[in-house]
Amino acid sequence: MPDIIKLLPDSVANQIAAGEVIQRPASLVKELMENSVDAGSNNIKVIIKDAGSSLVQVIDDGTGMSDTDCRLSFERHATSKISAAEDLFAISTKGFRGEALASIAAVAMVEIKTCLHDSEIGSMVKINGSKVELQEPVSCQPGTNIAVKNLFYNVPARRKFLKSASTELRHIINEFQRVALAHPGVKFSLHHNDKELFNLPQSNIRQRIIGVFGKSMNQSLINVETDTSLVKISGFTGKPEHARKTFGEQFFFVNKRYMRHSYLHKAIMEAYKNILAPEAVPAYFIFLEADPASIDVNIHPTKTEIKFENERVIWQILHASVRESLGKFNIIPSLDFDNEGIVDIPPAGNKPAEMPVININSDFNPFRDEDGYRRDPNLRAWDKLYSGIDSAGREETITGHKHKDETGHVPEKLFQVRNRYIICSVKSGLMIIDQKRAHERILYDKFIHALQNDASVAQKNMFPKTLELDQADLAILSEIEEGIKNCGFDIRYLGNNTISINSQPSASMNEDPVEMIEIILEEYKTMEKDPGESNREKIAACMARAAAVPYGRTLEMPEIREIVDKLFLCTNPNYSPSGKPIVSIITLEELDKKLR
Ligand code: ADP
Ligand code: MG
């Protein structure tokens, strides 16, 4: 047999390697912004066209590069940031692998102009798909101006897999925000298709957070500050009453690098124990500084996870520190430090703590409204509607098989368990219904119908609620606006990133329209769309999520009955729109077995 192993041509090897670093336009934004920060820039301008698929350009006033460096910077493993393996343990820059520019040049068309500050003349290099097309002297501003055009133009399979413009733009905005939050001392701006999305002057951390997330964040921020020998913690954490049910405002930065850290996230959540509404997550912007040698730097270039040497101790310090801040601001009644063995935590603040005030809307009645489907308090209309349904077929949908002998009547014995499940006695045993998923299914069918027929019922707000959104959320809102209007939302743009909500779907059992919009946006962001699913279905699913009766809500008997009745009129009462089971039956045999 002949020899069959060949060395891949450089261009192919580079394209493969590039896939590791450059996954989408947002990766360009991150890598180029980080290079500009590493180059000591004070002013960094990011220009995007078509959500980054035609252009990502970053202009900085950093050190710039010499002619030779400029050419060399596109070679793989070309970096000015480390030179020996020991350096890996003392990294203070964002980059150090020397891979980003080489990767970018392999899969896009790059044009760079760069000039050192004490130089008369700068250099320009053009590279397409790793091939240097041009290198010549130019006159340009000190600093670096790099334009990356037509990402993946030579890898059609990858270009095809870019998501919608709004999705790619959202990823870009996320990366932009992370770098901007980590470096408040640097001025950043972001422009998309000639529209300025952000303009963030040099500032302190607090002002930077407000610049990114809007003025309404200001009242929510509580200072967090702790200095220990292991780690220095600074930043802000959000007041519990401002906590949203959506993720998006939780940030850890370790040595000025954005990181996800689910273990440390728990330290913060634990500090808020018992003072948050169910499912709410506080905003936080926590900056940790630790000796680079105590951090595992050998992380994948695009991963945002990190490993500390003393993770458990850091957990405790962070937990105690957030708790102390909440205590100082009278948010939690007492400080219960549990940090034996940590000697260098400063004492807690000396202001006496008071009991927290928790507001609960005790007189909310979800059946208050004018929607036909709830008008009758006794729900007689439903009994009537119901009696016409084929009982055998209906029962079959519940279990999928062999329960055709069920009576098919609404089980009279209904009750709610832990404000979460509805239990009914049925002929074959005990039926358990997940209240939220059931309501989600009911609403989903209703919203799909509204979206098809433009037949929504809206409930007007006497006092319209206003909500400030960031650019990423505004972009999503404009994408789904028409759909959610058809379902009963009336939304107006007030300028200054603020919207007012003038009406919401009357079928909603979530009484807070602001929270609903937040949940819809968050669901829409995180929900991966099935290839076969239409946008209408996706919108209906997000809306159903947001409007469904939450867990933890005590239901009145007529409400329980209505949910049960309506569920079994749905097209698919067995599964929620996101595919989770709604109904389960514990059979008599199973019950008998338990007591045998
Ligand atoms: P890394 O950042 O890991 O070193 P990159 O491929 O991102 O690798 O960049 C390679 C080198 O090019 C950097 O080490 C730096 O010396 C230089 N460089 C890149 N971008 C800039 C910039 N905006 N200003 C000055 N130098 C830069
Ligand atoms: Mg870099």
Side-chain angles (χ1 to χ4, degrees), residues 113-384:
K113 289 181 198 163
T114 185
C115 184
L116 296 167
H117 280 249
D118 50 13
S119 225
E120 305 273 284
I121 195 90
S123 26
M124 168 155 94
V125 171
K126 279 190 187 179
I127 304 186
N128 296 341
S130 301
K131 197 162 161 275
V132 181
E133 305 281 352
L134 177 83
Q135 174 161 21
E136 64 183 23
V138 282
S139 107
C140 60
Q141 295 288 319
T144 301
N145 179 338
I146 178 165
V148 180
K149 294 179 188 161
N150 306 322
L151 177 62
F152 300 138
Y153 79 98
N154 55 351
V155 203
R158 302 207 63 188
R159 190 157 171 99
K160 211 167 64 201
F161 278 102
L162 291 181
K163 296 270 160 48
S164 69
S166 66
T167 302
E168 295 301 343
L169 182 61
R170 172 164 45 81
H171 284 284
I172 287 173
I173 291 172
N174 284 345
E175 294 293 356
F176 175 88
Q177 290 178 337
R178 289 168 187 175
V179 181
L181 286 166
H183 300 279
V186 178
K187 173 176 159 53
F188 289 97
S189 62
L190 176 64
H191 307 255
H192 181 238
N193 291 344
D194 300 323
K195 192 171 163 224
E196 185 177 86
L197 300 185
F198 291 91
N199 190 341
L200 307 168
Q202 294 186 334
S203 64
N204 59 28
I205 292 173
R206 187 183 193 104
Q207 288 161 341
R208 177 55 53 91
I209 295 170
I210 293 163
V212 170
F213 288 103
K215 283 195 214 77
S216 59
M217 184 62 87
N218 193 22
Q219 319 93 284
S220 174
L221 298 177
I222 300 169
N223 199 23
V224 177
E225 196 103 48
T226 295
D227 200 351
T228 73
S229 50
L230 266 184
V231 67
K232 185 170 179 281
I233 297 175
S234 62
F236 296 92
T237 194
K239 290 190 185 153
E241 64 267 32
H242 294 269
R244 298 184 175 198
K245 296 212 168 157
T246 63
F247 281 90
E249 295 172 347
Q250 291 71 34
F251 292 85
F252 283 120
F253 299 94
V254 179
N255 296 347
K256 300 205 165 165
R257 184 194 290 273
Y258 168 81
M259 287 294 162
R260 262 180 241 281
H261 208 295
S262 54
Y263 181 63
L264 291 184
H265 172 73
K266 290 198 191 96
I268 295 191
M269 293 306 288
E270 193 65 24
Y272 278 82
K273 206 170 171 176
N274 299 331
I275 56 171
L276 285 175
E279 294 170 47
V281 201
Y284 57 76
F285 306 88
I286 299 291
F287 293 77
L288 299 128
E289 274 171 56
D291 180 354
S294 72
I295 298 169
D296 181 2
V297 291
N298 204 7
I299 35 174
H300 187 275
T302 59
K303 281 218 177 110
T304 44
E305 277 100 32
I306 191 174
K307 191 111 192 74
F308 290 99
E309 212 171 70
N310 303 297
E311 213 143 76
R312 300 177 75 136
V313 187
I314 292 181
W315 193 101
Q316 294 191 344
I317 298 173
L318 177 63
H319 174 256
S321 173
V322 171
R323 234 177 137 72
E324 183 199 335
S325 295
L326 293 172
K328 264 193 205 162
F329 284 84
N330 297 337
I331 287 163
I332 38 178
S334 64
L335 305 173
D336 55 351
F337 289 111
D338 179 19
N339 46 27
E340 262 172 70
I342 306 164
V343 285
D344 51 358
I345 293 184
N350 40 21
K351 207 168 157 197
E354 284 163 17
M355 279 300 286
V357 183
I358 297 168
N359 294 319
I360 295 164
N361 178 0
S362 54
D363 58 15
F364 166 64
N365 172 8
F367 284 99
R368 69 205 176 291
D369 67 49
E370 64 294 348
D371 179 4
Y373 104 64
R374 293 197 209 131
R375 198 180 295 132
D376 181 349
N378 298 315
L379 296 161
R380 286 282 155 241
W382 283 105
D383 289 350
K384 277 197 217 97

Side-chain angles (χ1 to χ4, degrees), residues 30-36 38 78-79 81 94-101:
K30 170 179 185 280
E31 294 297 339
L32 298 180
M33 285 177 80
E34 289 189 345
N35 278 349
S36 296
D38 283 346
T79 178
K81 298 167 194 174
K94 315 277 106 179
F96 58 86
R97 295 168 167 266
E99 272 176 339
L101 290 186

Side-chain angles (χ1 to χ4, degrees), residues 394-421:
R394 205 172 55 86
E395 192 58 34
E396 190 172 41
T397 59
I398 301 171
T399 57
H401 56 95
K402 68 177 182 227
H403 284 280
K404 290 193 176 178
D405 58 329
E406 294 292 345
T407 65
H409 289 297
V410 185
E412 284 303 325
K413 291 170 191 146
L414 291 167
F415 63 97
Q416 195 188 12
V417 176
R418 304 218 68 176
N419 297 338
R420 191 180 178 95
Y421 298 111

Side-chain angles (χ1 to χ4, degrees), residues 425-436:
S425 162
V426 291
K427 210 172 178 185
S428 57
L430 270 187
M431 182 162 73
I432 307 164
I433 300 174
D434 182 304
Q435 70 182 46
K436 181 163 184 246

